[in-house]
Amino acid sequence: MTANLAAILYLVAGVCFIMALRGLSSPTSARGGNLFGIAGMVIAVGTTLAQPSVQDYLYIIIGIVAGGAIGTVIALRIKMTAMPQLVAAFHSLVGLAAVLVAGAALYSPELFGIAEADGGIRLISRIEMSVGVIIGAITFTGSLVAFAKLQELVGGAPLVFPLQLSFNLIVALVVIGLGVYFCFGQSEAVFWIMTALALLFGVLMIVRIGGADMPVVISMLNSYSGWAAAGIGFTLENTVLIIVGALVGSSGAILSYIMCRAMNRSFISVIMGGFGGVAEAGVSASQKSHKPGSADDGSFIMSNAGSVIIVPGYGLAVAQAQHVLREMADLLKKEGVTVRYAVHPVAGRMPGHMNVLLAEANVPYEDVFELDDINSEFATTDVAFVIGANDVVNPLAKTDPQCPIAGMPILDVEQAKTVLFVKRSLSPGYAGIDNPVFYRDNTMMLFGDAKKMVEGIVKALQ
C-alpha cells in the first residue's frame, strides 16, 4: 500500500468517526452512527495492517484473537447495571496503551522513526511522549479507582486525608517538572519516575471524588483517554489515531462541561473533591411520618390520572426493570393516560445511563424528555412516578445552601399532584442526604424491589 493511498483511507476513516459522533448525538440516528463508527474502525485497522512496515503478523493475530475473545465474552455477559464500570475499565486500557507505546519508543526510537543521527530521540517526539505518558498514566490508575468505586470494591465516599490538596498539587508540579526535564535531557530514569508519579496522581485525584460525581468522572476519563490516544498517534505518526484521539478528547471535555452545568458545579470543584457516600447523623428516617402504599394503590392512582411523568434512576438499572416499566406505560396509555419520561442529565452512574436503559426497552424516543424540556410540566401533572431516583429529585438542592447538592438543578417532582416513590427503603441517596419528598402529604412510598413493584402494578392494571 502506498503512502498516498493510506493517507486517503485514513481520511475516510476520520470522516466516518466524525459522522459516528454526529449520529450518536440523537437516539433516532444512533444506530446509523454506530455503523459509521464500525466502518471507520474497519478501514483504519485494515489500512494499518496493510502498511509495508508491518512484516510479522503473528503477534498481531494473537492479539486480535485474544482481545476479540475477551471482548466477546464481556459483551455477552455484561449487565446494563455494570456498564459504567465497564466503560471505566476500558478507559484504563487506553491509558495503559499510551504508557506502553511511550516506553517502547523510549527503548527503540529507530523502530518508530523518531531517532536522531546520534541515536537519541527528536525533541518534538520527546514532548509528545511526555504528554502522552503523563495523561495515559493518570487515565490508567484514575480509571481503575473509578471502576473500584462503581463496582463497590471500595466505598463511594471521598477519601480525604490532611493536606491532601497540597500534596496533590506538589505531585502534579513534580510530574510536570520531570516532563520538562525529560524533554530536554532524555533520561530513562526520569521518564519512569515521571510515569510512576503520574500513576500515583491518577489515584490521588480520583479517590478524593465522591460517588455522586461519578458521571462527571466517567466523562472526564473519557476525555483523558482521547488525549492519551492522540499522544500515541503522534508517537506512532498515525494520522487516524490523532484524529480519533482529538475527537474523543474534545467531545469528552464538552460532555464533562455539560454534566457539570447540570449539577451546578464547576469542573474544578469536582476535581477538588465531590460528594457521596455517608449520610449525616440525625433523626432516623423510619421515625418520620410517611405514607406507605402498595402496587394496587399505585395502579389505582395512575389508571385514574390524566398524565403521568416517570422519573427513572439508578435503582431502575439495578433492578433491571426497564422492560416491565415500558409494559406498565403501554397499559396506562391504553387507559387514555398521557405518559412521559423525565431524564436528569446525571441520573445513573454515567452520562446517558437512563437513556440507554429506556432505549433497550424500546421506549419511544418522543416520550423521553430532558430536564429543561419537561421540568415546568410537573406542576400540571397528576402523578410523578419516581423509580430508583433520589438525589436528582431532592428539593434540598434548592432550599439548603449547606447540603452537598446545593444549587444542582433537579426534577421538580414534588410539584405534581401525587408522587409515587418506588424505593427499597427511606435510605438517603448517593449524596448521603435525606429527601424531604418522602414525607410530603402528596407522596406515597412504594417500598420494595423496583421490578417486583412495577410487575405488581402491571398485574393490577391487567
Side-chain angles (χ1 to χ4, degrees):
M1 177 176 290
T2 64
N4 289 337
L5 178 59
I8 293 173
L9 290 175
Y10 280 149
L11 180 59
V12 172
V15 172
C16 286
F17 291 130
I18 293 172
M19 295 300 295
L21 280 180
R22 184 172 184 231
L24 293 172
S25 64
S26 170
T28 56
S29 58
R31 189 179 298 274
N34 271 326
L35 293 177
F36 270 114
I38 293 171
M41 187 58 68
V42 169
I43 294 171
V45 172
T47 303
T48 301
L49 294 180
Q51 295 289 327
S53 57
V54 180
Q55 299 178 9
D56 188 350
Y57 288 91
L58 176 61
Y59 291 111
I60 294 175
I61 293 173
I62 292 174
I64 291 175
V65 172
I70 294 172
T72 301
V73 171
I74 291 175
L76 292 175
R77 299 182 60 180
I78 194 70
K79 296 181 179 179
M80 285 303 300
T81 50
M83 284 301 293
Q85 47 265 52
L86 178 65
V87 171
F90 283 169
H91 288 162
S92 73
L93 297 179
V94 179
L96 180 60
V99 174
L100 295 178
V101 169
L106 176 67
Y107 290 105
S108 302
E110 67 282 354
L111 297 180
F112 290 81
I114 60 175
E116 293 181 318
D118 60 358
I121 301 174
R122 297 196 305 260
L123 174 61
I124 185 63
S125 297
R126 293 200 295 270
I127 294 174
E128 295 163 359
M129 290 169 59
S130 297
V131 174
V133 77
I134 290 173
I135 297 177
I138 293 172
T139 303
F140 175 57
T141 52
S143 298
L144 290 180
V145 174
F147 171 85
K149 282 178 173 282
L150 292 166
Q151 190 67 20
E152 298 182 354
L153 300 177
V154 299
L159 179 60
V160 182
F161 55 82
L163 301 177
Q164 184 176 4
L165 288 177
S166 299
F167 183 74
N168 287 5
L169 180 60
I170 292 172
V171 173
L173 292 175
V174 172
V175 169
I176 294 173
L178 290 174
V180 173
Y181 182 87
F182 174 76
C183 291
F184 294 96
Q186 191 180 330
S187 166
E188 292 182 8
V190 169
F191 177 87
W192 291 115
I193 294 173
M194 172 183 67
T195 303
L197 289 177
L199 292 169
L200 174 63
F201 183 76
V203 174
L204 295 173
M205 180 175 66
I206 304 301
V207 295
R208 188 177 174 83
I209 301 176
D213 278 330
M214 277 301 116
V216 179
V217 172
I218 293 296
S219 177
M220 176 188 71
L221 291 171
N222 177 57
S223 178
Y224 287 0
S225 68
W227 299 125
I232 298 175
F234 280 109
T235 302
L236 297 176
E237 296 184 346
N238 188 294
T239 305
V240 74
L241 200 50
I242 297 172
I243 294 173
V244 173
L247 287 173
V248 174
S250 56
S251 60
I254 294 171
L255 181 58
S256 298
Y257 172 73
I258 294 173
M259 301 285 285
C260 286
R261 283 193 61 186
M263 301 172 71
N264 195 38
R265 292 163 63 75
S266 69
F267 186 74
I268 297 300
S269 70
V270 173
I271 297 301
M272 298 296 275
F275 52 83
V278 182
E280 297 179 357
V283 178
S284 171
S286 61
Q287 297 174 1
K288 297 180 182 179
S289 177
H290 60 277
K291 187 190 303 179
S294 65
D296 289 337
D297 295 325
S299 169
F300 177 80
I301 292 172
M302 286 192 287
S303 62
N304 287 280
S307 60
V308 173
I309 296 180
I310 299 172
V311 180
Y314 185 64
L316 173 72
V318 173
Q320 288 288 279
Q322 62 268 29
H323 296 284
V324 69
L325 182 67
R326 161 72 191 275
E327 185 179 357
M328 182 193 80
D330 289 343
L331 290 172
L332 289 173
K333 289 179 180 179
K334 289 181 180 179
E335 297 285 337
V337 181
T338 300
V339 180
R340 291 167 291 177
Y341 298 79
V343 176
H344 194 282
V346 295
R349 295 293 181 268
M350 72 176 184
H353 199 175
M354 294 302 103
N355 301 80
V356 172
L357 285 177
L358 296 178
E360 184 190 24
N362 294 316
V363 171
Y365 302 136
E366 60 271 15
D367 290 348
V368 182
F369 296 85
E370 300 295 333
L371 181 147
D372 293 336
D373 298 324
I374 201 171
N375 220 15
S376 61
E377 301 294 322
F378 282 104
T380 57
T381 297
D382 294 319
V383 178
F385 186 78
V386 185
I387 176 168
N390 196 332
D391 296 326
V392 297
V393 298
N394 194 329
L396 287 179
K398 300 181 292 183
T399 60
D400 183 2
Q402 304 302 318
C403 78
I405 60 173
M408 182 178 84
I410 64 160
L411 291 162
D412 298 322
V413 298
E414 77 279 3
Q415 295 182 7
K417 295 178 182 178
T418 302
V419 180
L420 298 178
F421 218 119
V422 180
K423 209 170 180 297
R424 288 181 178 272
S425 67
L426 293 171
S427 61
Y430 217 175
I433 54 175
D434 200 10
N435 192 334
V437 174
F438 298 163
Y439 318 109
R440 292 176 63 93
D441 293 336
N442 65 330
T443 298
M444 177 177 289
M445 300 299 299
L446 305 180
F447 293 116
D449 175 80
K451 186 175 183 179
K452 292 181 180 178
M453 179 59 67
V454 178
E455 286 175 342
I457 293 174
V458 167
K459 184 177 180 181
L461 288 172
Q462 292 172 334

